[in-house]
Amino acid sequence: MAVPIAPLGQSAIDHALSALRKRMRVAIVGGPGIGKSTLVRQLADLYHHGAYGEGEEGVWDPRVLEDIEAGRNPVGVTAYFARLYDANYRDAARHDHPARVMFIEGARITLEAHIAEYPAAHHARLREVLTIGDHWNPDRTIVLTSNTDTIEKHIRLRNRANENVELMIDRFRLIDDAFRRLAPRYPGTVVFNRDHREFHTRGALLEIIAAADLPPFEEVVYERMD
């Protein structure tokens, strides 16, 4: 005699669907002014999950900006950002659980790409700093790239008093080239050209999700009730 099987309740169905969704930590990286912070926030809001940005002027020690602009203390600057990223990765690990997609600005490839800014005499010590990121291992890394016209437009639009546009563009060219060169060496890394794409639009976000093969997000249902 067959035993009837009770239908699954909604909570069981939700649990089963959740288990099918892959837990993932996604790093967003790229040169200065490419839109990393915006994309991290937008994707985290779309997924209703955590976001870890690297911060900017109000978050960083003021001396860091001075040293970056002056091109000095390369090991100290790189170690500072490595520690910022490390704090974010450690906190993300504490809040990680199945079906959660978390977005983090910065990865080990970021530290390595920025070595291109500095004279070769510093490179050996800078490579020692890279070891701070050896345990981060994001599941997916999205390298944002673009042409310099796009970067110039975005840097001018954000109009930050501490940024020299010409200097930022020169830095971007160096770092962008390094990211493109290094991307194949890092597993799970996708290069995405953001030219003619604005991250405040749904279309651009869907393109990023498809290009990086990210898990589906749960859409919040909108109803017209009038």
Side-chain angles (χ1 to χ4, degrees):
M1 178 177 175
V3 178
I5 299 174
L8 287 173
Q10 187 60 48
S11 61
I13 293 172
D14 290 342
H15 179 76
L17 289 173
S18 178
L20 290 173
R21 299 190 188 107
K22 186 179 179 183
R23 171 173 54 193
M24 187 175 281
R25 282 182 298 174
V26 182
I28 309 294
V29 305
I34 194 69
K36 301 182 295 293
S37 298
T38 299
L39 182 59
V40 165
R41 288 193 301 268
Q42 286 286 82
L43 286 174
D45 287 346
L46 191 62
Y47 278 80
H48 313 293
H49 289 174
Y52 293 86
E54 71 175 12
E56 50 189 67
E57 184 178 1
V59 174
W60 302 336
D61 184 312
R63 295 171 298 174
V64 172
L65 291 170
E66 296 169 6
D67 288 347
I68 290 173
E69 189 168 349
R72 62 180 175 239
N73 192 28
V75 178
V77 168
T78 304
Y80 179 75
F81 282 99
R83 289 192 288 269
L84 284 178
Y85 299 153
D86 192 58
N88 287 342
Y89 276 93
R90 290 181 185 278
D91 193 70
R94 286 194 292 270
H95 292 89
D96 209 357
H97 60 74
R100 190 167 179 81
V101 182
M102 306 184 81
F103 299 92
I104 304 172
E105 185 176 353
R108 189 184 187 281
I109 190 176
T110 307
L111 305 177
E112 189 169 4
H114 279 264
I115 291 176
E117 293 188 82
Y118 300 111
H122 298 286
H123 288 190
R125 291 186 64 201
L126 287 168
R127 291 193 178 282
E128 293 176 9
V129 177
L130 295 182
T131 60
I132 296 174
D134 284 349
H135 70 92
W136 298 340
N137 299 323
D139 303 287
R140 188 78 75 248
T141 300
I142 300 172
V143 175
L144 299 178
T145 186
S146 75
N147 66 43
T148 51
D149 291 341
T150 300
I151 291 303
E152 181 174 358
K153 182 185 78 171
H154 283 275
I155 291 171
R156 291 192 187 281
L157 280 174
R158 65 189 191 179
N159 193 30
R160 295 177 183 172
N162 63 295
E163 290 181 346
N164 178 303
V165 175
E166 285 70 30
L167 178 62
M168 288 284 287
I169 290 172
D170 288 342
R171 287 184 63 221
F172 174 81
R173 288 195 184 103
L174 273 176
I175 298 166
D176 185 65
D177 286 345
F179 270 117
R180 291 174 190 247
R181 172 174 49 83
L182 293 168
R185 304 182 191 178
Y186 284 82
T189 296
V190 175
V191 177
F192 185 85
N193 190 319
R194 62 94 23 109
D195 283 346
H196 311 300
R197 296 175 174 91
E198 298 297 335
F199 295 143
H200 63 265
T201 68
R202 174 62 71 96
L205 296 178
L206 293 179
E207 281 191 74
I208 283 273
I209 290 168
D213 193 25
L214 302 186
F217 58 89
E218 185 177 347
E219 187 78 75
V220 174
V221 177
Y222 171 71
E223 297 179 79
R224 287 181 167 155
M225 299 180 177
D226 52 359

